[in-house]
Amino acid sequence: MLIVKKFGGTSVANKERIFHVAERCIADYQKGHDVVVVLSAMGKYTDELIDKARDINPTPSRRELDMLLTIGEQMSVSLMAMAMNHLGARAISLNAFQVAMHTTSAHGNARLKRIDTERIRRELDDRKIVIVTGFQGVDKYDDYTTLGRGGSDTTAVALAAALHADACEIYTDVDGVYTADPRLVPTAKKLKAITYDEMLDLATLGAGVLHNRSVEMAKKYGVQLVVRSSMNDSEGTVVKEVVKKVERMIISGVALDKNADRISVFGLPDVPGSAFKLFNTLAKNNINVDIIIQSAGRDGTKDISFTVSHDNLQDAMDLLEERKEVLGFERIVSDRDVVKLSIVGAGMISNPGVAAKMFECLYNQNININMIATSEIRITVLIPEKDAIKAMNAVHEAFGLSE
Amino acid sequence: MLIVKKFGGTSVANKERIFHVAERCIADYQKGHDVVVVLSAMGKYTDELIDKARDINPTPSRRELDMLLTIGEQMSVSLMAMAMNHLGARAISLNAFQVAMHTTSAHGNARLKRIDTERIRRELDDRKIVIVTGFQGVDKYDDYTTLGRGGSDTTAVALAAALHADACEIYTDVDGVYTADPRLVPTAKKLKAITYDEMLDLATLGAGVLHNRSVEMAKKYGVQLVVRSSMNDSEGTVVKEVVKKVERMIISGVALDKNADRISVFGLPDVPGSAFKLFNTLAKNNINVDIIIQSAGRDGTKDISFTVSHDNLQDAMDLLEERKEVLGFERIVSDRDVVKLSIVGAGMISNPGVAAKMFECLYNQNININMIATSEIRITVLIPEKDAIKAMNAVHEAFGLSE
C-alpha cells in the first residue's frame, strides 16, 4: 500500500513531536507500506518569517516572500529525515525543486499544475520513506511559489492523486471532523464520514479542519481523505464522495464564522444596473462580497445589504462613501456585531423543511435573523454576535446532532 | 562594468547591516554597473542550524545536513532583495537551483564544476541587481551540496570567472590583508597588493581573511580579487598574479597558526618503508600531517616528528599506540604547547638569506626552534607557544614590515 501522510506545523513544532511523527511513519513503513510524508513549517515559523520580511520591507514582493517562506518546510523535512535516520529508518527529504512541483506563477496563492513522480518513485523503490515539503512549488521561470495558507493539505492530496496512493491521511491537532466546534458546543460529536461537498461547505465556512482547495482537489481526483489526530490513535473522519445512509444524518454539522460584517446601502435608485454598479465597484477593488439581500425602499428606491470580511470592511465603507454620488444612494451603515451561522448536510437535498426547522429553532430562542443565504446542502443565517453560542447549541440540538 | 561583490555572515547579521550592504550595492548599480551580490548566511545562523540538526541526530547524514544548511543563504538573499526593493532598486534573489550551480556530490565539501550564467545574464540585462546564495550548490542527482567553510568566497570567485566580471570584491570584517594580525602585532601594516601564491600561503597558514580554495580558483581563472571592509570605504588589498616591485617587500606577511600540535615518534627501525607505513596509517584514518622532520636515532633507529591539528591529536596518538608493534617504534610523545610561525613573500625567490635572517632574529630573542619547513615563498618554524607573540613582533620588525 502507498500511504501519503500530511502533518501540520503543530505536529512538528519541536524535537519531541518530530520524533513522535517519525515513529508513526516508521510503523507504517515497517508493515511494508510505501510511505510519503508531507510536512508544513514547524509551529509558527512561517509567521515568524513573514514578520522578519515585514521588518525589512513592509510590502515585500510576493516573489521574494515566497523565496523566504519556502525555507520553513525545507527545515522541517530535513530535520524529519535526520530523526528517522536516527531511529534507524532509511529516509530522504525532497523540496519543490527536487520533486518537482510545478505550479502557476501566482506567488503566495499558486495552483499546482503538475507533479513529477519519477524521483519520489525511485526513492520509494529504494525502500526509503520520502519526506516532501508541503505548501511550496516552482513555476515555469524556476521561481519558488507558495500555495497559500493550508497549502500543505493541497500538496498532500495532489501527491496522493499523482502517485495513485491508496490512502491520504491528514493529521491535525483535532481528531476528526465534528458536528460543531467542541469548544463552543459541548455536545458536539465526531463524524465517522462526510462527503466532499459537505466538507467543502464546512471548510469554506470556517470549520478550519481542512483547506478547501485540498477538498476540491480530493473530490476532483477521487482521493479519499482521512482526517486524524497526530496526538492519538483515534480513527478520525473519512471524507469521500458518497456517505452511506446509515452513517448519515440530515445535517452533518453546524459552523460558525465570526469573520463577517454587514454593510447596508439605503436608497439606491430602483433602475436597472444600480446593483451591478455597486458590486462592480467593490469587485474591482478586490473586495469579496458574501451574502446579499435586496429589498424595496421608499419612493422608488431600493436597499441592499451584504456581508464582507472584517479585513475589507473599512476599505469597502471608504470606497462607497467616495462613490456615493456616482452610485446615487442616500446613506450606508455597517454592523460589526454579526456572525454567520450555517448548517451543512447532503441530506438536505432529499429532506424538505430543513430551513423551516432551523428558523423555528432560532425563533424559539428569540434570536433575530438578519439575512439568509442557502445552497443545495447549506443554510446560512446572519445573526447578532451575542446570540452566536446559544444559537449554535440550539440548532445542534434541534437537528439531533447531540445524541 | 560587471562587479561581483561578496559579503560574509557578519556583514548581513541584522537589519541595519543588511540595509548598509544594500545601499553599497545600489551605489554601484546607480553608476551604471552590473552588480552581482553573493551572500553567506546571517551571522552565526549556519552554526545554529548545525546545532539544531545535532540536537535531532548527533551524526546527521551529510546529504540531509546540506539540505538544512542551504536555507541559511536563501534567507539572506531573499531578505536582501526585499531591502533593495524597499530602497527603490530592482533586485532578485537566486539560489543554487535557480542559477544553477553544479557541483560534485561530496556533501559538506563539494567542488564547483560548472555555473550556468543564462539566468543571471537575463536578470542583469533586465537591469536588476542579482543576489546569489553563496556556499551552496546542486549535484547531478538534484541534491543540495555545500562547499565547506568559507565556501561563499569560492562561489563569488567562480561567478566572477563564469561571468567574466571586471571586478570581484570580497567584503569582510577586516579592511584588507595585513603584514600580520594587527591584534597581535600592533605595528602591522595593510598591504596594497599581494600575489595569489602569497595569499594562498597566508590563507592556508591561518590568516583567515580568504578561503584558500577561493584563492586557488582566482589564480586558476585569473580573477583579480579585492579584499575590503564592509564597514568602511578604505581601499583594501588587491590579490593578483604579479605585484610590481615598487609595491612589494621581500616579505609580505607574518602568520601565526595556533592549531598545531607536535607528535614525536622515537626509535623507528631504520629500514626502507618504515616512514611510509607510519604516514600511510595516519592518512588512511583521515589524519592530515603537516611539517615532518626525520633524524637519526640511536642504534640503527630513526626518530620522526610531525605536526597535526588539535582536532586530530588524540586520534593520532590512540591510533599509533594501537599499532606500536606493527610499526616497530619505541615510544611516542606529543606536545600541545607549540605554534607555527610563518613568513610569506614572493620576494624570497630572488632574495637569498631570508631563512637565515629569520633564524637569527629568533636566536636574538632566545627563542628555540623545534621544526622548520620551507617552500619557495614561505618559511615556517614550530616554536613554543609562550614565545609566539614575541617572535611574531620580532620577525615583523626584522623584515621591515613595521616601517
Side-chain angles (χ1 to χ4, degrees):
Chain A
M1 226 167 90
L2 197 165
I3 308 173
V4 174
K5 298 166 94 78
K6 181 261 168 178
F7 295 88
T10 317
S11 308
V12 292
N14 57 42
K15 182 182 170 182
E16 287 64 38
R17 292 192 187 168
I18 286 174
F19 273 101
H20 182 72
V21 168
E23 281 164 8
R24 244 184 131 130
C25 296
I26 292 172
D28 275 346
Y29 170 84
Q30 284 174 337
K31 285 177 197 157
H33 300 314
D34 286 333
V35 179
V36 175
V37 185
V38 176
L39 299 183
S40 303
M42 293 168 72
K44 297 284 171 202
Y45 192 54
T46 301
D47 292 332
E48 286 169 33
L49 289 172
I50 292 173
D51 289 345
K52 214 180 257 282
R54 294 237 166 99
D55 184 41
I56 297 276
N57 184 333
T59 53
S61 88
R62 288 296 328 193
R63 192 266 176 199
E64 295 300 336
L65 191 60
D66 283 353
M67 184 82 171
L68 182 68
L69 294 187
T70 49
I71 74 177
E73 294 78 34
Q74 195 168 319
M75 181 185 286
S76 305
V77 296
S78 53
L79 291 176
M80 182 61 75
M82 292 175 198
M84 289 184 183
N85 290 159
H86 194 55
L87 295 171
R90 287 162 59 78
I92 188 164
S93 66
L94 298 175
N95 71 7
F97 268 103
Q98 293 164 333
V99 165
M101 293 269 182
H102 303 279
T103 70
T104 62
S105 290
H107 291 290
N109 198 30
R111 302 248 157 191
L112 280 164
K113 284 163 63 184
R114 186 167 50 83
I115 297 179
D116 294 347
T117 55
E118 190 194 328
R119 175 78 190 257
I120 295 178
R121 289 265 180 222
R122 199 165 65 234
E123 303 294 351
L124 289 174
D125 289 347
D126 196 24
R127 278 306 282 156
K128 286 185 192 142
I129 298 176
V130 179
I131 310 157
V132 177
T133 51
F135 181 63
Q136 59 183 244
V138 178
D139 72 5
K140 64 181 170 185
Y141 306 107
D142 269 358
D143 286 337
Y144 273 116
T145 57
T146 58
L147 307 180
R149 287 279 156 171
S152 292
D153 290 348
T154 310
T155 305
V157 173
L159 271 174
L163 293 163
H164 306 290
D166 300 284
C168 183
E169 302 172 351
I170 309 288
Y171 288 82
T172 167
D173 47 3
V174 295
D175 62 355
V177 181
Y178 277 73
T179 51
D181 186 335
R183 290 167 300 185
L184 304 179
V185 181
T187 56
K189 297 278 179 297
K190 190 168 73 183
L191 294 163
K192 280 197 170 170
I194 187 169
T195 67
Y196 295 123
D197 287 334
E198 288 170 327
M199 193 66 228
L200 269 175
D201 267 327
L202 284 171
T204 312
L205 296 171
V209 181
L210 274 181
H211 193 237
N212 55 359
R213 272 165 58 191
S214 66
V215 182
E216 278 168 16
M217 189 176 282
K219 183 184 177 187
K220 184 170 171 191
Y221 294 103
V223 174
Q224 183 169 311
L225 300 176
V226 185
V227 179
R228 299 182 64 173
S229 166
S230 59
M231 311 298 170
N232 63 50
D233 281 330
S234 82
E235 275 196 3
T237 301
V238 177
V239 186
K240 54 188 179 179
E241 186 61 45
V242 179
V243 174
K244 284 185 213 127
K245 263 204 174 151
V246 65
E247 299 172 7
R248 187 206 278 162
M249 291 161 284
I250 296 173
I251 301 303
S252 295
V254 180
L256 184 68
D257 182 0
K258 292 182 173 176
N259 183 24
D261 295 329
R262 184 180 53 164
I263 295 178
S264 297
V265 182
F266 295 105
L268 269 170
D270 192 12
V271 294
S274 66
F276 162 73
K277 278 184 205 159
L278 175 70
F279 292 114
N280 192 41
T281 300
L282 293 167
K284 274 190 179 164
N285 286 277
N286 288 317
I287 295 167
N288 277 323
V289 163
D290 193 13
I291 310 175
I292 300 171
I293 55 167
Q294 180 180 316
S295 56
R298 289 170 304 180
D299 310 324
T301 64
K302 58 187 173 187
D303 305 336
I304 292 182
S305 293
F306 53 88
T307 59
V308 296
S309 68
H310 282 330
D311 286 351
N312 285 330
L313 180 66
Q314 198 54 52
D315 286 349
M317 289 298 283
D318 292 347
L319 183 70
L320 293 180
E321 282 291 2
E322 199 178 279
R323 307 286 167 85
K324 189 173 177 179
E325 286 189 27
V326 181
L327 296 169
F329 62 84
E330 284 160 20
R331 64 192 177 91
I332 51 174
V333 295
S334 66
D335 184 358
R336 288 178 172 274
D337 302 325
V338 290
V339 294
K340 284 199 298 192
L341 181 71
S342 302
I343 57 174
V344 172
M348 265 183 218
I349 302 171
S350 47
N351 282 275
V354 172
K357 189 169 177 178
M358 183 181 189
F359 303 153
E360 181 190 14
C361 164
L362 294 172
Y363 171 74
N364 288 340
Q365 297 291 323
N366 202 25
I367 294 166
N368 191 34
I369 299 173
N370 293 145
M371 296 169 83
I372 300 167
T374 61
S375 79
E376 272 199 318
I377 64 163
R378 173 172 66 90
I379 299 165
T380 299
V381 293
L382 199 74
I383 57 173
E385 188 165 15
K386 66 175 171 55
D387 296 327
I389 308 297
K390 185 171 70 170
M392 210 177 172
N393 278 279
V395 171
H396 194 266
E397 179 80 30
F399 283 96
L401 298 176
S402 304
E403 285 150 25
Chain B
M1 230 167 84
L2 196 165
I3 308 172
V4 174
K5 300 165 94 75
K6 180 259 165 180
F7 295 88
T10 318
S11 309
V12 292
N14 56 43
K15 181 183 171 181
E16 287 64 37
R17 293 193 185 166
I18 287 175
F19 273 101
H20 182 71
V21 168
E23 281 162 9
R24 248 187 128 128
C25 297
I26 292 171
D28 275 345
Y29 170 85
Q30 284 173 338
K31 285 177 197 155
H33 300 313
D34 285 332
V35 179
V36 175
V37 186
V38 175
L39 299 183
S40 302
M42 294 168 72
K44 298 284 171 200
Y45 192 55
T46 301
D47 292 333
E48 286 171 33
L49 289 172
I50 291 173
D51 288 346
K52 215 180 256 280
R54 295 238 166 98
D55 184 42
I56 297 277
N57 184 335
T59 55
S61 88
R62 288 296 329 192
R63 191 267 175 201
E64 294 300 336
L65 191 59
D66 283 353
M67 183 82 172
L68 182 68
L69 295 187
T70 48
I71 74 177
E73 294 78 36
Q74 195 169 320
M75 182 186 286
S76 306
V77 296
S78 52
L79 291 177
M80 183 62 74
M82 292 175 198
M84 291 184 182
N85 289 159
H86 193 54
L87 295 171
R90 286 161 60 78
I92 187 164
S93 66
L94 298 175
N95 72 5
F97 268 103
Q98 291 164 334
V99 167
M101 295 269 183
H102 302 278
T103 71
T104 62
S105 290
H107 291 291
N109 197 31
R111 302 247 157 191
L112 280 164
K113 286 163 62 182
R114 186 167 50 83
I115 296 179
D116 294 348
T117 55
E118 192 194 327
R119 175 77 191 259
I120 295 178
R121 289 264 180 223
R122 198 164 64 233
E123 303 293 353
L124 289 176
D125 289 347
D126 196 24
R127 278 304 284 157
K128 286 185 192 144
I129 298 177
V130 179
I131 309 157
V132 178
T133 51
F135 179 64
Q136 61 183 242
V138 178
D139 72 5
K140 64 181 170 184
Y141 306 107
D142 269 359
D143 286 336
Y144 273 116
T145 57
T146 59
L147 308 180
R149 287 279 156 171
S152 292
D153 290 348
T154 309
T155 305
V157 174
L159 270 174
L163 293 164
H164 307 289
D166 300 284
C168 183
E169 303 172 349
I170 308 288
Y171 288 83
T172 166
D173 46 4
V174 296
D175 61 356
V177 181
Y178 276 74
T179 52
D181 186 334
R183 289 165 301 185
L184 304 178
V185 180
T187 56
K189 297 276 180 297
K190 190 170 73 184
L191 294 164
K192 279 199 170 165
I194 188 169
T195 67
Y196 295 124
D197 287 334
E198 289 170 326
M199 193 66 227
L200 269 176
D201 267 328
L202 285 171
T204 312
L205 296 171
V209 180
L210 274 180
H211 194 237
N212 56 358
R213 272 165 60 191
S214 65
V215 182
E216 278 168 17
M217 189 176 281
K219 184 185 175 185
K220 184 171 171 188
Y221 294 101
V223 174
Q224 182 169 312
L225 300 177
V226 185
V227 179
R228 300 182 65 171
S229 167
S230 58
M231 310 299 169
N232 63 51
D233 280 330
S234 81
E235 274 197 3
T237 301
V238 177
V239 188
K240 54 188 179 179
E241 185 61 42
V242 179
V243 174
K244 284 185 217 129
K245 262 203 175 154
V246 64
E247 299 172 8
R248 188 207 277 164
M249 290 160 283
I250 295 172
I251 302 303
S252 295
V254 180
L256 184 68
D257 181 2
K258 293 182 173 175
N259 182 24
D261 296 329
R262 183 180 53 161
I263 294 177
S264 297
V265 182
F266 296 104
L268 268 170
D270 190 11
V271 294
S274 65
F276 163 75
K277 277 183 207 159
L278 175 69
F279 293 114
N280 193 40
T281 300
L282 293 167
K284 276 189 177 164
N285 287 276
N286 289 317
I287 294 167
N288 278 324
V289 163
D290 192 12
I291 312 175
I292 301 171
I293 55 165
Q294 179 179 317
S295 56
R298 290 169 302 180
D299 310 326
T301 64
K302 59 187 175 189
D303 304 336
I304 290 181
S305 292
F306 53 87
T307 59
V308 295
S309 68
H310 283 329
D311 285 352
N312 285 330
L313 181 67
Q314 197 54 50
D315 286 349
M317 290 297 283
D318 292 348
L319 184 69
L320 293 180
E321 282 290 3
E322 200 178 279
R323 308 283 167 87
K324 190 174 179 179
E325 286 189 29
V326 181
L327 296 168
F329 62 85
E330 284 160 20
R331 64 191 176 92
I332 50 173
V333 296
S334 66
D335 185 358
R336 288 179 170 274
D337 301 325
V338 288
V339 294
K340 284 197 298 190
L341 181 71
S342 302
I343 57 174
V344 171
M348 266 183 220
I349 301 170
S350 50
N351 282 276
V354 172
K357 188 169 178 178
M358 183 183 190
F359 302 155
E360 182 190 13
C361 165
L362 294 173
Y363 171 73
N364 288 339
Q365 298 290 323
N366 202 27
I367 294 165
N368 192 36
I369 299 173
N370 292 145
M371 296 168 83
I372 300 167
T374 60
S375 78
E376 273 199 319
I377 64 163
R378 172 171 66 91
I379 299 164
T380 300
V381 295
L382 200 73
I383 59 173
E385 188 164 14
K386 66 174 172 51
D387 296 325
I389 308 299
K390 186 172 67 168
M392 210 176 172
N393 280 279
V395 171
H396 195 266
E397 180 77 30
F399 283 96
L401 298 176
S402 303
E403 286 148 26

